[in-house]
Amino acid sequence: MAEEVLFFGTWWSPFSRRVEMALKLKGIEYKYIEEDLTNKSAALLKYNPVHKKIPVLVHNGKPVAESLVIIEYIDETWKHHPILPKDPYERANARFWAKFIDEKCFPAIWKSCFGEEKEREKAVEEASELLKFLENELKEKRSFGGETIGLVDIAANVIGFWVGVFEETTGVELLTKEKFPKLSNWTNEYVSNSFIKENLPPRDKLIAYFRNRFGIPNASK
Amino acid sequence: MAEEVLFFGTWWSPFSRRVEMALKLKGIEYKYIEEDLTNKSAALLKYNPVHKKIPVLVHNGKPVAESLVIIEYIDETWKHHPILPKDPYERANARFWAKFIDEKCFPAIWKSCFGEEKEREKAVEEASELLKFLENELKEKRSFGGETIGLVDIAANVIGFWVGVFEETTGVELLTKEKFPKLSNWTNEYVSNSFIKENLPPRDKLIAYFRNRFGIPNASK
């Protein structure tokens, strides 16, 4: 059967990019539909009536929403080049950390950079506490997935790439080499990896986008 | 190898009970450790240093935290009597709805009943909107898992049992038969199922617990 894979995303979104990374790791051909989140398409609202959000994957007419759910779907549907480990305990660990990034780290990072001014300092402290757990989890591994890019590495794109963009956009410091030597190394490797680099949005364009979105002047640093 | 399964939980917590339900569905023997959340044990803090929360499963010395992550771990480790469906698309759907219950429904339900007084009315409306999605998802199925108890049914214990308890505790109306005929039917079946009934906390004790915790007088209804 000819596969039809549609993907609804937004260029600047880490959640959108992580699904694209999973599709590209597997070498799955797909049709990308860029959504304007200020004017969502009828198709997006039809395929994700619950959250009305990107990312949404539509495989042979059937929609899947929520980036981590989509990535597991991709991994279970196209089994070559596995994204999750095979061992149940390692799988649970990967799910735990991916969930931790989404539910704890990302909101704290966002608030640190774009939250209300008076809340920022506290949010930076909180983000710092949370990132320490990831620093420890890296141990001596090259990536969260060990030697290869796994679920946590894909989910951690927000730390590997977006945090640097947010820092440059706002002047907030989160991921210093002194405080997070392992995470900083991982970040450097992450953005140097040619496969990953190809699938990230252009850094300058992203900084300009966030500056414009939050009305941040150029010389904020 | 002799299996050692420890489970750290709290008797009144739906998140704790859902993991126990998964263990019991599989017929796995485990040692239950009741945690006093006002005075957490050193073992709990050691096994879940990130969230410092129940539920935690410790299987042969290795800890797993977060109820949905634990349930998937249980399902992948002891494969008999599967909790998640086999088909990747149905698995993705189950994960989507379980996540929806945890991230959207539960916070809105909690706020409706125990939130600040001025926010409650809006929270009831929000919870109502969210529960409509579950009402639609049930379609003509007997349970979310079809004919058997699946991941979503286990995750939805908060709706199948706790919502009724919260309603009786606080006098807030959430799940009326008129507005949610299918969900109400499912709820009735849920608490009538002898296996489920055996593994829920005593209703009166639970109501007394929440009344006491939030200082709600007896005649609130």
Side-chain angles (χ1 to χ4, degrees):
Chain A
M1 186 175 79
E3 302 266 11
E4 189 202 44
V5 181
L6 307 179
F7 177 63
F8 293 78
T10 303
W11 71 273
W12 55 263
S13 160
F15 303 101
S16 183
R17 292 284 176 163
R18 54 164 76 151
V19 174
E20 284 198 273
M21 196 156 291
L23 289 166
K24 284 174 177 168
L25 264 173
K26 300 270 188 181
I28 299 158
E29 283 190 32
Y30 62 99
K31 188 184 165 195
Y32 177 75
I33 299 125
E34 171 75 19
E35 277 289 326
D36 171 3
L37 298 188
T38 62
N39 182 24
K40 294 172 185 175
S41 73
L44 178 66
L45 301 179
K46 177 181 125 191
Y47 286 131
N48 191 3
V50 176
H51 301 293
K52 303 178 177 67
K53 283 194 316 190
I54 56 100
V56 176
L57 185 84
V58 184
H59 182 205
N60 295 332
K62 294 196 283 187
V64 189
E66 300 278 352
S67 68
L68 297 179
V69 175
I70 301 172
I71 294 171
E72 289 224 42
Y73 174 75
I74 290 170
D75 206 36
E76 292 180 346
T77 302
W78 295 277
K79 295 189 195 298
H80 60 280
H81 199 124
I83 292 170
L84 269 85
K86 212 171 165 224
D87 173 69
Y89 188 71
E90 286 176 33
R91 290 168 76 82
N93 253 335
R95 288 184 184 120
F96 175 88
W97 289 113
K99 193 174 159 74
F100 172 72
I101 289 166
D102 277 13
E103 293 177 15
K104 296 285 174 182
C105 299
F106 185 73
I109 289 167
W110 188 265
K111 222 171 163 182
S112 301
C113 297
F114 306 116
E116 284 188 51
E117 189 118 15
K118 58 178 182 192
E119 293 175 344
R120 280 192 209 161
E121 203 176 323
K122 217 179 137 219
V124 170
E125 263 175 53
E126 195 199 333
S128 193
E129 290 299 314
L130 295 166
L131 290 171
K132 262 184 220 159
F133 287 113
L134 287 177
E135 173 82 8
N136 292 338
E137 175 55 21
L138 264 177
K139 299 178 193 101
E140 302 310 320
K141 293 182 292 190
R142 203 168 155 189
S143 71
F144 291 99
E147 282 303 304
T148 56
I149 298 167
L151 179 70
V152 183
D153 300 283
I154 292 177
N157 67 352
V158 62
I159 292 151
F161 183 66
W162 270 260
V163 161
V165 165
F166 293 168
E167 287 179 319
E168 195 170 331
T169 306
T170 61
V172 170
E173 279 201 339
L174 284 169
L175 207 63
T176 59
K177 211 172 172 55
E178 293 70 39
K179 270 173 102 171
F180 302 103
K182 288 174 193 169
L183 214 44
S184 299
N185 274 346
W186 171 83
T187 294
N188 288 341
E189 278 222 23
Y190 197 75
V191 291
S192 314
N193 178 307
S194 63
F195 172 77
I196 288 173
K197 203 157 53 179
E198 269 171 40
N199 294 303
L200 289 171
R203 194 180 159 93
D204 289 352
K205 196 180 157 196
L206 206 54
I207 291 171
Y209 167 80
F210 282 108
R211 282 211 169 117
N212 181 48
R213 177 163 163 187
F214 293 101
I216 299 165
N218 241 332
S220 63
K221 212 168 178 178
Chain B
M1 186 175 76
E3 301 267 11
E4 189 202 43
V5 182
L6 306 178
F7 178 62
F8 293 77
T10 302
W11 70 273
W12 55 262
S13 159
F15 303 102
S16 183
R17 293 283 177 165
R18 54 163 76 149
V19 174
E20 284 199 271
M21 196 156 291
L23 288 166
K24 284 172 175 168
L25 264 173
K26 299 270 187 181
I28 298 158
E29 283 190 33
Y30 63 99
K31 187 182 164 196
Y32 177 75
I33 297 124
E34 172 74 19
E35 277 290 325
D36 171 3
L37 298 188
T38 63
N39 182 22
K40 294 173 186 173
S41 73
L44 179 66
L45 301 179
K46 177 183 125 191
Y47 287 131
N48 190 2
V50 176
H51 301 294
K52 304 176 178 66
K53 282 194 316 188
I54 57 99
V56 176
L57 185 85
V58 185
H59 183 206
N60 296 331
K62 294 196 281 187
V64 190
E66 299 277 353
S67 67
L68 296 179
V69 175
I70 301 172
I71 294 171
E72 289 222 42
Y73 174 76
I74 290 170
D75 206 36
E76 291 181 345
T77 301
W78 295 277
K79 294 189 195 297
H80 61 281
H81 199 123
I83 292 170
L84 269 86
K86 211 169 167 228
D87 173 70
Y89 187 71
E90 287 176 32
R91 290 169 75 83
N93 254 334
R95 289 185 184 121
F96 176 87
W97 290 113
K99 191 174 159 73
F100 173 71
I101 289 166
D102 277 12
E103 293 178 14
K104 296 285 174 182
C105 297
F106 186 74
I109 289 167
W110 188 266
K111 223 171 164 181
S112 300
C113 296
F114 307 115
E116 284 188 51
E117 189 117 16
K118 59 177 183 192
E119 293 176 343
R120 281 193 208 160
E121 203 176 321
K122 217 180 138 219
V124 170
E125 261 174 55
E126 195 201 332
S128 193
E129 291 298 314
L130 295 166
L131 290 171
K132 262 184 219 159
F133 286 114
L134 287 177
E135 172 82 8
N136 292 339
E137 175 55 20
L138 265 176
K139 298 179 193 100
E140 302 312 319
K141 291 182 292 191
R142 204 168 153 189
S143 71
F144 290 100
E147 282 303 305
T148 55
I149 298 168
L151 179 71
V152 184
D153 300 282
I154 293 177
N157 68 352
V158 62
I159 291 151
F161 182 66
W162 271 259
V163 161
V165 165
F166 293 168
E167 287 179 320
E168 196 171 330
T169 306
T170 60
V172 170
E173 280 201 337
L174 283 169
L175 208 62
T176 60
K177 211 173 172 55
E178 294 68 40
K179 270 174 103 172
F180 301 102
K182 288 174 193 169
L183 213 46
S184 300
N185 274 345
W186 171 83
T187 294
N188 288 340
E189 279 221 24
Y190 196 74
V191 291
S192 315
N193 178 307
S194 62
F195 172 77
I196 288 173
K197 203 155 54 178
E198 270 170 41
N199 294 306
L200 289 171
R203 193 180 161 91
D204 289 353
K205 195 179 158 196
L206 206 54
I207 291 171
Y209 167 80
F210 282 107
R211 281 212 171 114
N212 181 49
R213 176 164 164 186
F214 293 102
I216 299 165
N218 241 331
S220 64
K221 214 171 175 174

